[in-house]
Amino acid sequence: MESDMAGVPAQATSEATDIVGEWQPLSVREMGATPRALDELPSPALAHALVDWLTSIRWPTTRTHIVQRPQTLRDGVPWQRVALRLNLAPGLNSAQVVDWRSTVLIHARRPEGALEVIDATLHLEPRTQNHASSLSECLSDAGSAWCVRRDRSGLTRRVSAAASAAYDRAVSTSDKARARLEKAWTAAYGLHPDPGAAYRHAVAAVEAATIPLFLPTDAQASLGKVRAHLDQGRAKYVLVISDKTGNPATIDSVVEMVSTLWHGQRDRHEGGSSSAPITQEAAEAAVHIAVLLVQWFATGAIRPATRT
């Protein structure tokens, strides 16, 4: 989000145009050159541009009661908190006093540190929200693989417009599953991915969307029980999509997706012969399965079959 989203909220904001997706250099458009790939780490130029963005953030000028304070206290970045979160060694100024601002900016000028500083700043300091659009444009212009989350609380990996739109629809249609989907998306696409957590939250998101529908009185309900309920009751439900005969399609595809998500969580129990860590690829796939399932269940795409 993060109500509005762990990777993408409703109230979100005007997102900057994805310039990388809409514009390519003349050499690519007219001369057949290979389009540039998105950069995982900022180029030296982008790292300096990100520092410029950081130092442009200020307290609103209407806050007249702090105008007389030192510049570092009027800056919009909580330098000390950013440094502590990133475990940066503090630098001393000429008076042997810790200069947190310089400590952070030195780290931010290194390509490997720039994204961490920006991510921490966005998360810690809501006043930077007024500057999020210019930051989004900066990252997009430079061909970064990273962009600003729509709730402006951090950075997230750039995904296709279609995948982002599907996520938007899912989190906007299910209040029960929203928080889990947000956590799953962040764990999969955030600056520090956690595949196991992404998969776990993806499963929980589908549980949040399905248990109230199918097993509302079962205090021990799980996605496995939902899967069994749908599998054994295939004749009780249909899809809003029609099959080739024009009749409502069966829920076979839904059962298969739920089963895939459930059985694929190989790190659920340690010690088993099939136990294994969740890979990044598996986590991303699981999150997108969860996005689709949550949206379908939340919007009534799976409904009781009409008795004849």
Side-chain angles (χ1 to χ4, degrees):
M1 193 203 282
E2 307 182 63
S3 114
D4 302 300
M5 183 174 140
V8 184
Q11 65 179 5
T13 76
S14 58
E15 225 178 282
T17 301
D18 184 357
I19 300 173
V20 170
E22 294 189 354
W23 179 88
Q24 291 292 343
L26 183 64
S27 59
V28 174
R29 301 197 313 269
E30 303 294 340
M31 304 174 192
T34 302
R36 64 184 291 186
L38 295 177
D39 295 328
E40 290 293 324
L41 284 177
S43 64
L46 176 56
H48 282 284
L50 294 178
V51 168
D52 288 343
W53 179 82
L54 281 167
T55 55
S56 73
I57 300 169
R58 295 288 186 272
W59 284 77
T61 54
T62 54
R63 300 287 292 274
T64 55
H65 63 284
I66 62 168
V67 169
Q68 300 306 316
R69 294 186 182 184
Q71 180 63 55
T72 54
L73 296 181
R74 299 203 303 272
D75 286 346
V77 178
W79 304 107
Q80 183 184 63
R81 295 192 68 195
V82 171
L84 292 174
R85 285 204 169 189
L86 299 181
N87 195 29
L88 303 181
L92 302 178
N93 61 20
S94 57
Q96 297 301 297
V97 175
V98 175
D99 185 345
W100 295 109
R101 185 176 187 273
S102 294
T103 296
V104 172
L105 292 179
I106 289 171
H107 187 66
R109 288 189 176 93
R110 304 184 182 110
E112 64 274 14
L115 294 176
E116 287 189 330
V117 170
I118 295 295
D119 184 66
T121 300
L122 288 170
H123 187 265
L124 285 169
E125 191 45 70
R127 282 187 299 277
T128 63
Q129 292 183 1
N130 294 329
H131 301 260
S133 293
S134 61
L135 175 60
S136 293
E137 290 176 352
C138 184
L139 291 166
S140 184
D141 283 345
S144 176
W146 302 93
C147 60
V148 179
R149 284 168 49 172
R150 292 187 191 177
D151 63 353
R152 297 164 171 173
S153 64
L155 296 177
T156 188
R157 186 173 294 278
R158 196 179 299 278
V159 298
S160 71
S164 181
Y167 175 85
D168 284 350
R169 287 193 295 272
V171 297
S172 67
T173 55
S174 177
D175 291 336
K176 295 182 176 65
R178 177 184 293 123
R180 288 293 192 171
L181 271 184
E182 291 174 350
K183 290 178 180 179
W185 192 272
T186 299
Y189 292 110
L191 197 57
H192 302 288
D194 185 338
Y199 205 117
R200 185 169 63 254
H201 289 303
V203 169
V206 180
E207 288 177 333
T210 56
I211 289 173
L213 292 175
F214 304 112
L215 303 169
T217 62
D218 187 344
Q220 302 300 318
S222 65
L223 186 60
K225 288 189 175 182
V226 171
R227 187 203 69 80
H229 172 84
L230 294 174
D231 186 30
Q232 295 163 14
R234 292 180 191 236
K236 297 179 181 179
Y237 304 99
V238 293
L239 291 178
V240 293
I241 301 172
S242 298
D243 64 16
K244 62 182 180 181
T245 69
N247 293 312
T250 68
I251 64 165
D252 291 352
S253 59
V254 177
V255 174
E256 290 305 313
M257 282 191 287
V258 173
S259 297
T260 297
L261 187 61
W262 178 246
H263 293 310
Q265 194 179 8
R266 303 317 314 162
D267 66 344
R268 186 186 302 111
H269 303 296
E270 294 292 339
S273 59
S274 62
S275 178
I278 301 296
T279 65
Q280 180 65 24
E281 294 79 7
E284 292 176 9
V287 170
H288 289 282
I289 290 176
V291 164
L292 177 58
L293 287 174
V294 166
Q295 198 269 337
W296 276 16
F297 284 116
T299 58
I302 295 91
R303 62 188 182 188
T306 303
R307 295 183 181 276
T308 58

